[in-house]
Amino acid sequence: MTNKITSLTEYLKAYQESIAHPDDFWAKIATTHFWRKSWDQVVKWRFDGDQAPDVQWFVNGKLNITENIFERQLFMRENQTAIIWEPNDPKEKEIYLTYGELFEKVNQFANTLLKLGVKKGDRVAIYLPMVPELAISMLACARIGAIHSIIFAGFSATALSDRIVDAQAKVLLTADGGFRGNKTIALKEISDEALETSPTVEQVVVLKRTGESVSMKEGRDIWWHDAIKNVSTENTAEVMDAEDPLFILYTSGSTGKPKGVVHTTAGYMVYSEYTFKNVFQYDEGDMYWCTADIGWVTGHSYIIYGPLLTGATTIMFEGIPTFPDAGRFWDIVDKYKVNQIYTAPTAIRALMAQGDEWVTKHDLSSLKVLGTVGEPINEEAWRWYHEVVGKGHCPVVDTWWQTETGGILIAPLAGITPTKPTMATLPLPGVQPVLVDQEGNEIKGNGVQGILCIKHPWPGMLRTTWGDHDRCYQTYFSMYKGLYLTGDGAKRDEEGYYRIIGRIDDVINVSGHRIGTAEVEDAINQHPKVVESAVVGYPHPIKGSGIYAYVIAEEMADAQKNGLEDEIRDTVNRLIGPIAKPDVIQMVSGLPKTRSGKIMRRILRKIGEGDATQLGDISTLLDPSVVEEIIAGAKVEVKR
Ligand code: 7RM
């Protein structure tokens, strides 16, 4: 396979080259793509000045990303499976789409969008469940040069409307409803509510999925099956500039409305393909499964673009890990003989709590690589994944990256980079991480800790935030001159390996000691009766900050009776030291998580500080009711 690193020596050499001669390095990789016109210059960039970021890759190159998925490889892959779709309900039939079939469906929907009046540069909002049409429509947008903005089909009407309005989308693609476990989500009803406050949407295309009855608005709404009827399956791709936007994806921070992260065509294409094949060490014929939803960046880059550009077979799963039971993931691995699985610590921890039986009763011998992303993975979960799921012979690739980075930045190459529990290990070729102190001074050498920044552009990085370039500058480039601020804290160990310790606002300063929330959680989670925990700092009269731990135990009642709190303190004492012992422990039945599985520590911090009057944007929260429960049970008095 072209551009695939196959040994540690090769990785080290590639890394050196990518730092010494970034232009030559990326040019060599990009020549394997299909260009309508080659570039004049590999990269032009500025990270400093208030216009930052000013970054262009493959300047003046012309191409279409879908020609790189289809035309570039079709002669050899026409009959190879591109996407396997596994339904929510295992009794429903799966769908196999070959590259040839997918190409026809993409072309047909591309022509449908053109018929609806969508033009190059227009924004198309996509609010669909995990069905093949989601993949088809995003690629159809790319085919005609429309910018897709996918909104996860679990967001509320307000969140949907906010995103449509910000992007000024002209068309909305949705479904009657979506299946998730034993629930259905009334997507059309939610869309109708959102559209009351989304004036730019002229047309809505509605896919029939659940069959529930919905109201269709005359002149605005059209059924998917009617829209594609008699539409041609042949289409010539729009020629795009390397820097034309490919998609917008909204991401929320701790303040303000969500930001529309903008990714452009050529750099994102080159980077998602290169990182996919190298991190997962994809081999011709492998079955690859990323369990994420396409509504998140992980799904964009590592269900769709990276794998399809590589010519992989990628599995798309409509459901959830625990439906119909906690063995579903392993059922799927067994059913399709999955070789690489890519999931999140939150799913690993949840499945770990269900007991090993669910895993061990399946044949998982096809597995070669175990990927993780989204949060720091605690040591216990890492070991369980490695030993129980991978039987000790599959490398765990802990991949660190962000919506803004477009692709993985720090991760082992599976089977090549020696791994260590909880470590994202080494930067990928072309990635230049630095650790800085609060003032932005670079902290050199190994065995150090600091704020993680990146000092040179990589092709997959964000170019701007939609409609507000200054916000992009303010958020990522204004803090430290000439550096991209990731917002994460990290340690670099004696060997130069990186360990991500969480968002910088998640570092607690206890009596002058900097303690990462992830480290304390890691220790708490080692207690056999603990399912999951979240740790935050709160104002403490003596220590500056105290440690407040929210803990989910296997048995709540048991926790109170049997002195679990003391045992937890002992565990932390033993694993980290007395300095990290939680001052306050609150037993909870759930944690406030985003719909992508990240713990929203910001909310817990506010509660710990005793002030729940301004919780900020909670539109991405999976289950807002846990917040109420936690406030009610708080160990401090909470102002509401
Ligand atoms: C891909 C994704 C980004 C934030 C990031 C980190 C955290 C992601 C890891 C991780 C520790 C990891 N995009 N994060 N991966 N922390 N180890 N392997 O998750 O935009 O939704 O989130 O997620 O804090 O800044 S994202």
Side-chain angles (χ1 to χ4, degrees), residues 251 296-298 342 372-377 398-404 410 424 486-488 500-503 596 598:
T251 183
W296 311 115
V297 75
T298 305
Y342 190 26
T372 156
V373 61
E375 278 189 295
I377 179 163
D398 178 359
T399 65
W400 174 81
W401 59 297
Q402 309 175 295
T403 304
E404 295 85 344
I410 304 182
T486 69
D488 285 330
I500 311 304
I501 51 185
R503 306 292 303 166
S596 65
K598 289 185 218 301

Side-chain angles (χ1 to χ4, degrees), residues 140 156 168 226 274 295 307 317 324 349 390 429 459 493 538 553 588 610 624 628:
S156 66
Q168 301 202 291
D226 290 331
Y274 181 74
F317 174 42
R349 289 191 296 260
D493 79 357
Y538 74 100
V588 295
E628 278 309 307

Side-chain angles (χ1 to χ4, degrees), residues 99-233:
Y99 274 85
E101 290 163 339
L102 181 62
F103 186 36
E104 292 200 340
K105 288 182 184 295
V106 167
N107 283 337
Q108 186 179 48
F109 203 71
N111 291 329
T112 306
L113 290 172
L114 290 171
K115 239 177 89 181
L116 292 174
V118 178
K119 295 189 191 62
K120 177 177 178 174
D122 285 347
R123 276 77 60 209
V124 174
I126 307 182
Y127 185 61
L128 281 171
M130 281 286 282
V131 289
E133 286 77 3
L134 173 52
I136 291 162
S137 59
M138 69 194 284
L139 294 171
C141 287
R143 187 80 182 168
I144 65 168
I147 302 168
H148 58 73
S149 172
I150 301 180
I151 299 106
F152 173 60
F155 276 137
S156 66
T158 317
L160 173 60
S161 174
D162 286 349
R163 287 158 179 77
I164 293 175
V165 168
D166 189 80
Q168 301 202 291
K170 191 169 175 181
V171 169
L172 172 67
L173 311 178
T174 189
D176 49 359
F179 294 117
R180 247 180 105 71
N182 51 22
K183 290 202 217 92
T184 61
I185 308 172
L187 296 174
K188 178 61 166 64
E189 205 182 299
I190 301 169
S191 296
D192 286 339
E193 192 188 328
L195 289 169
E196 283 171 22
T197 52
S198 314
T200 57
V201 174
E202 293 164 14
Q203 268 188 305
V204 183
V205 186
V206 187
L207 180 79
K208 207 172 228 121
R209 173 65 189 123
T210 57
E212 63 202 88
S213 71
V214 296
S215 65
M216 298 289 277
K217 187 167 168 186
E218 188 77 48
R220 185 195 71 181
D221 302 352
I222 172 170
W223 286 105
W224 198 287
H225 51 266
D226 290 331
I228 63 173
K229 214 172 268 167
N230 303 322
V231 175
S232 161
T233 56

